Amino acid sequence: MTNARMENGLGMKTHGVNTLRKIKTVLTTVDYSGTHLDRLMEAFSPAHVIHVDRRDAAGIASALEEADVALLQGDLDERFLEAPKLRWIHCDHAGLNKSARPEVFEKGILVTSSAGRSAPVLAEHVMFFSLALSYHFPTFYKAQQDHQWGIPGQDQLRGLYGKTMGILGLGHTGTELALRAKAFNMRVLGYRRSVTDVPANVDKLFCADRGDTFDELLRESDIVALVLPLSNATHHLIGKRELQLMKRSAYLVNLARGAVIDQTALLEALREGSIAGAGLDTFAAEPLPADSPLWDAPRTLITPHCTPAVPDRTARSLDIICRNIAAYRAGEPMMNQLTVKDIYTKA
């Protein structure tokens, strides 16, 4: 172990060979119980596991004196950054933007998440918005309430078949979304950070690390879906310029984080009709203030950062956690691991 070195918090290596790591004491604040808790305890065995309510500040402080691993219900904060022995933190949710601090890497702490556990239903949420907007559902529902047969312009409506889905972010949710868009016989364009082969169900791929822009994706897509992490690089990724590149008949759907969009620019685009509408689940300020003009934005559907859960969400989280426990002990790459490119300091 004397030759081992930490590389930006991304893993322990000795001359290119993985180094085994022990887990001695675990602090967990997740609200697991029954068989789920039993499975968690078994996965961490023979480590000492301290299970504390996430609201028990004193209990957390005491456990952090000895814990080298933490499994958290929420995000990390200064208490965890200052813990003397902590080496790995797993946040049991998807987005890590609130935990993506430079200090994490300065202290050599590994941070992972449970991203992907809800990817299938998040992809469904995008399709829900896409269908409801394309079918002008709010207008038809209003007509139903008024006992009115039909709406103006209904003969000009077109479904998703044959249209183009542009996906910004091809991680867990983006991959599931591409599958569903293909099931609707849509053309799929994808944009991601890293350079990879073209994924299944994607017709054309653009990669940031290759120097690609997503301008072509914006120009050609009928639905532009945001399903990428929030970082300094993606803060206000969609602004006035990007909205002007979109078709006037296109819809913007955001299942990422609110700050990925410049909301002032979006509101202007919706009011001017430079895009056809939007489906929004996340916002820069949450809950969305009652006086926010987005509530009354034309052709806009809003959900309160709430997607129906998969029936086995906790079990799916445990699959990720157990895999990462094994990878951590073996000194191997871990799922959903925070990198320096994920740092977010613009909040």
Side-chain angles (χ1 to χ4, degrees):
M1 292 291 289
T2 55
N3 292 325
R5 61 188 176 88
M6 182 67 73
E7 295 188 340
N8 294 324
L10 301 183
M12 296 289 290
K13 294 183 178 181
T14 305
H15 303 298
V17 179
N18 291 339
T19 302
L20 297 179
R21 290 174 287 205
K22 293 182 179 179
I23 300 176
K24 297 180 180 179
T25 303
V26 180
L27 160 65
T28 177
T29 65
V30 294
D31 56 0
Y32 294 177
S33 60
T35 57
H36 291 138
L37 183 59
D38 291 342
R39 183 182 173 194
L40 182 67
M41 294 293 190
E42 181 180 351
F44 276 121
S45 179
H48 173 47
V49 179
I50 306 171
H51 194 193
V52 180
D53 187 284
R54 60 191 175 92
R55 295 171 290 270
D56 183 359
I60 291 173
S62 176
L64 284 177
E65 290 297 319
E66 56 178 306
D68 50 294
V69 171
L71 173 57
L72 307 181
Q73 183 78 12
D75 295 285
L76 64 86
D77 54 41
E78 283 72 15
R79 296 174 298 176
F80 303 96
L81 292 173
E82 295 169 1
K85 299 180 180 179
L86 208 52
R87 294 295 175 264
W88 169 35
I89 301 171
H90 184 90
C91 300
D92 192 25
H93 55 78
L96 285 175
N97 51 286
K98 292 181 180 179
S99 298
R101 307 180 182 196
E103 304 96 294
V104 166
F105 302 96
E106 293 167 6
K107 294 178 178 292
I109 300 173
L110 294 162
V111 179
T112 56
S113 78
S114 293
R117 65 179 184 178
S118 298
V121 291
L122 290 169
E124 287 178 12
H125 201 147
V126 175
M127 298 306 294
F128 158 74
F129 275 140
S130 301
L131 287 165
L133 290 164
S134 297
Y135 280 65
H136 287 205
F137 170 74
T139 310
F140 276 112
Y141 187 58
K142 178 62 166 59
Q144 176 184 333
Q145 293 174 313
D146 295 340
H147 298 193
Q148 172 188 320
W149 184 255
I151 62 172
Q154 64 185 31
D155 293 338
Q156 281 71 54
L157 296 180
R158 297 292 181 270
L160 297 180
Y161 181 93
K163 289 188 175 180
T164 297
M165 172 74 77
I167 306 174
L168 297 182
L170 282 171
H172 302 288
T173 301
T175 300
E176 293 281 356
L177 177 56
L179 173 64
R180 284 153 181 77
K182 269 300 169 190
F184 279 76
N185 286 291
M186 299 183 75
R187 178 177 178 238
V188 178
L189 306 179
Y191 176 82
R192 72 184 318 163
R193 183 170 62 194
S194 56
V195 179
T196 63
D197 294 334
V198 180
N201 303 303
V202 175
D203 296 293
K204 190 169 185 179
L205 176 67
F206 306 91
C207 303
D209 287 350
R210 191 168 56 204
D212 298 339
T213 71
F214 53 92
D215 289 2
E216 182 180 336
L217 180 152
L218 294 175
R219 291 191 184 102
E220 297 187 11
S221 296
D222 300 290
I223 307 290
V224 175
L226 308 179
V227 288
L228 72 177
L230 175 61
S231 66
N232 287 344
T234 62
H235 179 88
H236 284 193
L237 187 72
I238 302 297
K240 184 173 183 178
R241 173 187 173 276
E242 290 73 26
L243 291 163
Q244 289 177 339
L245 288 176
M246 291 174 59
K247 300 178 182 180
R248 293 183 68 87
S249 59
Y251 298 102
L252 180 67
V253 174
N254 189 14
L255 264 287
R257 289 292 184 265
V260 170
I261 301 175
D262 179 340
Q263 290 185 176
T264 301
L266 174 60
L267 186 62
E268 180 181 344
L270 290 167
R271 286 174 170 170
E272 292 178 353
S274 57
I275 64 172
L280 308 174
D281 183 57
T282 59
F283 305 88
E286 294 182 353
L288 185 65
D291 60 353
S292 170
L294 281 173
W295 287 111
D296 300 308
R299 304 170 306 283
T300 299
L301 296 178
I302 287 175
T303 51
H305 202 154
C306 178
T307 295
V310 291
D312 55 350
R313 190 175 75 166
T314 300
R316 289 169 64 90
S317 276
L318 276 165
D319 288 342
I320 296 168
I321 293 165
C322 291
R323 178 172 169 179
N324 272 347
I325 291 170
Y328 178 82
R329 282 174 164 153
E332 297 174 351
M334 301 168 74
M335 287 185 67
N336 305 327
Q337 188 170 310
L338 194 70
T339 74
V340 292
K341 292 183 178 180
D342 298 314
I343 290 176
Y344 184 59
T345 57
K346 296 186 178 182

